[in-house]
Amino acid sequence: GLLGGAFDPVHVGHLRLALEALERLALERVLFIPLAGGLHRQPPIAPAPLRVAMLAGAIAGEPRFAVDTREIERGGTSYTVDTLMALRAELGERPLVWLLGLDAFAGLPGWQRWTELRGLAHFAVAMRPGTRLPDTGPLAQWLEQARTDDPAALAASPAGRVCMLDAPPLDLAASGVRALVAAGRSIRYLVPDTVGA
């Protein structure tokens, strides 16, 4: 399993999504991949070393979680297609599952070389409050062909399927966590203790 993002900061929504995917999709492990910079969001506020340290602290108690810093080491704009191509070159035909929320999935056609992503990984999409699956356009067409409700189907091939992940709805965003900090309010129970300290 692969979970990319700014992790600025990592919060319980990220961690819960990774754990739900790990258990429900029978994943061997989940790699958290912090981005260097992206086109679809503001640059991270926290510097890369701090975001990596927060991630490492947050996942320290779960041996099936790991931090992968390849996007930070590569620098510049982070493109998922480049990351998946590198992982595919390292791991061969092993199934890869990119984890993301439905809001990010709905924006997939705006991602760099998005049609190539389908041949590089499966996608596990966490339903989020207030969002719904696209019903028209190229993403809806792909969903019609690739959607599976059987998590075992992801283990049967290296890439190309879409599985909806019915995870507990945690409507939480890093921007909301940062806003609380800026307002001098507590972020306890929204982030791991190692991050909020």
Side-chain angles (χ1 to χ4, degrees):
L2 310 165
L3 182 58
F7 303 112
D8 189 24
V10 60
H11 55 68
V12 295
H14 298 129
L15 300 170
R16 191 65 209 180
L17 170 59
L19 186 62
E20 289 288 333
L22 192 73
E23 293 177 347
R24 292 177 187 234
L25 305 179
L27 301 176
E28 179 183 325
R29 64 186 174 147
V30 174
L31 297 179
F32 289 77
I33 307 172
L35 59 77
L39 292 176
H40 302 289
R41 59 179 68 217
Q42 295 293 323
I45 294 170
L50 178 57
R51 291 183 293 122
V52 170
M54 286 189 292
L55 262 175
I59 66 171
E62 176 51 72
R64 298 168 295 175
F65 289 170
V67 178
D68 183 310
T69 58
R70 74 182 63 234
E71 290 191 0
I72 289 172
E73 292 165 12
R74 192 169 55 228
T77 302
S78 297
Y79 294 113
T80 302
V81 68
D82 294 334
T83 300
L84 286 175
M85 287 174 66
L87 284 163
R88 183 59 62 209
E90 290 171 23
L91 301 173
E93 294 298 304
R94 176 182 227 165
L96 299 175
V97 182
W98 193 268
L99 311 173
L100 72 172
L102 181 54
D103 53 341
F105 182 75
L108 209 58
W111 292 21
Q112 180 81 4
R113 296 168 31 210
W114 84 275
T115 56
E116 294 178 39
L117 299 175
R118 301 178 290 185
L120 295 168
H122 299 297
F123 285 80
V125 182
M127 304 304 282
R128 296 198 57 177
T131 57
R132 42 179 267 214
L133 290 170
D135 52 10
T136 60
L139 197 57
Q141 292 170 358
W142 179 40
L143 266 175
E144 188 175 320
Q145 300 163 354
R147 184 173 177 177
T148 181
D149 292 324
D150 180 10
L154 304 181
S157 65
R161 304 303 300 265
V162 179
C163 183
M164 296 303 134
L165 187 60
D166 186 23
L170 296 173
D171 193 13
L172 182 61
S175 58
V177 173
R178 291 192 306 272
L180 288 172
V181 170
R185 296 186 52 207
S186 175
I187 56 172
R188 190 171 187 199
Y189 306 125
L190 297 176
V191 298
D193 290 341
T194 56
V195 173

